[in-house]
Amino acid sequence: MAQPSVIFFDIDGTLLTDEKVLPASTKEAIFTLKCLGHTVAIATGRAPFMFKDLRRELEIDTFVSYNGQYVVLNGEVIYTNPLKMSPLVQLTEAALLNNHPVVYMDHEDMKANVPEHDYINESIGSLKINQFPTHDPLYYEGRELYQTLLFCPEGEEKQYEEAFPDFDFVRWHPVSLDVLPKGGSKANGIAKVVEKLGFPKERQYAFGDGLNDKQMLSTIENSVAMGNGEEEIKQVAKYVTKSVEEDGILHGLQMVGLLPK
């Protein structure tokens, strides 16, 4: 049997299908890992409030959320990395001039700086969650924000990348990007967890499919890209499994030797 290890799973396109369904084989594999003594964690770009039900279903209380900016170990917050407020306000002002809305996000909620916008409806709607941003243009005041969503078509983010060096911009939808603190990543958040748990690099695993998984899969020694993942992600991962709809998590865990075939 494999030595106790820690395994980090992305959510969208990795644990969940495009239709946001958790395959039965994936759920069974997660519980089998835990029965074998492994530590199972989530590493996602989502906010903590966006995957409460999934954590409850899988009985997972260790997670890296907001692409590494809000990290929880065994139910306790161990690391936060909020956005710098002054340049965020400037970014918002610039985006408004271009009819590009933003959504402010902390660990509890998300609020849009405009009452209504098609880009927000389209992209947030694709997540199929039961929460939607309401309007509060001053939500940034007096609180720490760990991520902001910027809504603009592909290619139009270049102007923001050049003007706001304090942030990283990571596209997750054709009309939406994550705005993160410069250098913030899932890999950094994972490092905070591993530092506490003490797993050596050869017993660290990560599964992902999207561009926000690139640094994670480049850094973790035993990295697995989903078959449905971006080609760029497959090139940096050590292994490539089947797609999430084809029992890709189970197949990948068997491939790396964490579960029996």
Side-chain angles (χ1 to χ4, degrees):
M1 187 180 76
Q3 287 185 293
S5 301
V6 60
I7 308 99
F8 294 88
F9 294 97
D10 171 53
I11 294 179
D12 300 289
T14 301
L15 288 177
L16 301 183
T17 68
D18 284 345
E19 297 303 313
K20 309 309 173 188
V21 173
L22 177 69
S25 64
T26 296
K27 183 175 181 178
E28 183 178 349
I30 296 297
F31 280 98
T32 302
L33 283 174
K34 292 195 285 186
C35 286
L36 292 173
H38 300 297
T39 297
V40 179
I42 285 172
T44 180
R46 289 192 183 207
F49 55 80
M50 288 182 173
F51 59 105
K52 281 184 180 179
D53 291 345
L54 182 63
R55 296 201 307 272
R56 191 177 300 115
E57 183 175 1
L58 295 178
E59 298 177 14
I60 292 174
D61 58 6
T62 294
F63 60 87
V64 173
S65 63
Y66 282 135
N67 289 310
Q69 317 321 308
Y70 192 88
V71 180
V72 171
L73 173 62
N74 298 324
E76 298 292 330
V77 179
I78 62 167
Y79 175 74
T80 61
N81 184 31
L83 293 159
K84 291 183 179 180
M85 195 53 59
S86 178
L88 179 61
V89 173
Q90 295 171 23
L91 169 64
T92 298
E93 292 170 349
L96 276 173
L97 294 175
N98 295 319
N99 191 29
H100 293 159
V102 301
V103 166
Y104 305 115
M105 310 178 81
D106 64 5
H107 62 293
E108 294 178 325
D109 207 349
M110 56 181 170
K111 299 289 184 179
N113 70 331
V114 296
E116 180 77 14
H117 201 286
D118 288 344
Y119 291 167
I120 297 178
N121 296 338
E122 179 183 341
S123 55
I124 299 294
S126 73
L127 295 174
K128 295 179 172 30
I129 57 177
N130 58 7
Q131 192 163 354
F132 205 80
T134 53
H135 181 220
D136 185 351
L138 299 179
Y139 191 68
Y140 60 84
E141 292 185 346
R143 53 172 44 90
E144 291 189 333
L145 302 178
Y146 306 105
Q147 183 167 285
T148 288
L149 301 180
L150 171 65
F151 299 85
C152 68
E154 292 182 74
E156 294 186 24
E157 66 271 23
K158 299 297 182 185
Q159 58 187 306
Y160 303 108
E161 293 171 345
E162 294 170 358
F164 298 97
D166 290 303
F167 304 135
D168 284 333
F169 298 84
V170 181
R171 185 166 291 280
W172 63 274
H173 186 275
V175 295
S176 186
L177 302 103
D178 295 329
V179 182
L180 305 169
K182 189 70 176 181
S185 70
K186 290 184 182 183
N188 290 349
I190 286 172
K192 303 299 180 182
V193 174
V194 172
E195 182 181 307
K196 296 281 188 181
L197 295 177
F199 286 100
K201 61 181 182 180
E202 62 270 17
R203 288 196 273 135
Q204 299 172 26
Y205 296 78
F207 286 68
D209 71 298
L211 295 178
N212 64 339
D213 297 317
K214 185 174 182 179
Q215 190 170 353
M216 174 177 77
L217 297 186
S218 302
T219 304
I220 300 298
E221 182 164 315
N222 302 296
S223 57
V224 184
M226 303 301 291
N228 51 278
E230 302 274 356
E231 288 305 314
E232 187 175 340
I233 299 308
K234 294 177 183 177
Q235 289 173 13
V236 302
K238 186 173 182 180
Y239 306 95
V240 178
T241 184
K242 297 178 181 179
S243 72
V244 58
E245 291 89 353
E246 298 174 308
D247 302 323
I249 293 296
L250 174 61
H251 179 77
L253 291 168
Q254 292 172 334
M255 188 184 349
V256 301
L258 289 175
L259 291 182
K261 295 183 179 180

